[in-house]
Amino acid sequence: SCRRRDCRISCYRLRSMSELRTRNVLAVVEAAYSLDGTDDAWLARILRIASDDLGRGLGLYGATGRIVDGTLVPTPPLVAHELEDRCLAHARALHPRLPCPILDAFAPRAVVVGGLDEAWPKRLEAASLYRAGMEGAGVRDALVLYGRGGATTAVKIVAPSRDEVVTTPRARATWGRVAQHLATALRLRRRVSRGAEPEAVLDPEG
């Protein structure tokens, strides 16, 4: 019947939305190692290319940052790609003070990938605080991607979601390698901007 067919289509769309896809990972890594433009323009390109894989239907936002005394300090401004207006407003207000338990949950990790409960299974306070901060935007969960390059350089991408985010170990491992590339590329960009010699080597095997 038409109703049964529509139900199957709706279920397929929900499954597709919840999946962490990996179709554009190579393009994301290639874009990461471009030295063109400012860090903000660089991150905007990354978000645009990654959006089809990472997006949960509400857009994405991201930021670069520094690790200072064990705390992740975001570097303004917050960069967004097709982010729903309420999500953008709440994301901007989420970390008004430092130190912040949400950011501190990132800081000691080299890589974070997954839904909130997947990303922080031992730091559920951070997941709860994020949900509370984004509740006014109708956000239930988020796909989180974070990488740290060296001791102090970091980049994060967040895709808010109205539904629970559940990912597979294989997809998390793939995007974990991408997160490491993003952080390494950002570190390279900053070294070059200071006039230092590049030290990064891109391994074709990831």
Side-chain angles (χ1 to χ4, degrees), residues 66-138:
R66 297 174 294 114
I67 308 296
V68 180
D69 296 330
T71 293
L72 174 60
V73 181
T75 306
L78 182 112
V79 179
H81 176 76
E82 298 182 348
L83 188 62
E84 196 265 345
D85 289 343
R86 289 191 301 162
C87 289
L88 179 58
H90 283 268
R92 284 175 171 165
L94 197 54
H95 310 300
R97 297 179 181 178
L98 294 174
C100 169
I102 299 175
L103 298 178
D104 288 349
F106 284 109
R109 306 273 294 276
V111 173
V112 176
V113 183
L116 294 179
D117 296 330
E118 294 174 329
W120 296 318
K122 298 180 180 180
R123 300 293 293 272
L124 295 181
E125 178 190 12
S128 297
L129 287 171
Y130 182 88
R131 288 188 172 102
M134 298 292 283
E135 184 178 9

Side-chain angles (χ1 to χ4, degrees), residues 31 140 168 175:
R140 177 185 176 191
T168 65
W175 277 103

Side-chain angles (χ1 to χ4, degrees), residues 174-188:
T174 298
W175 277 103
R177 290 191 292 271
V178 174
Q180 290 176 315
H181 276 297
L182 293 177
T184 299
L186 178 61
R187 185 182 178 196
L188 171 64

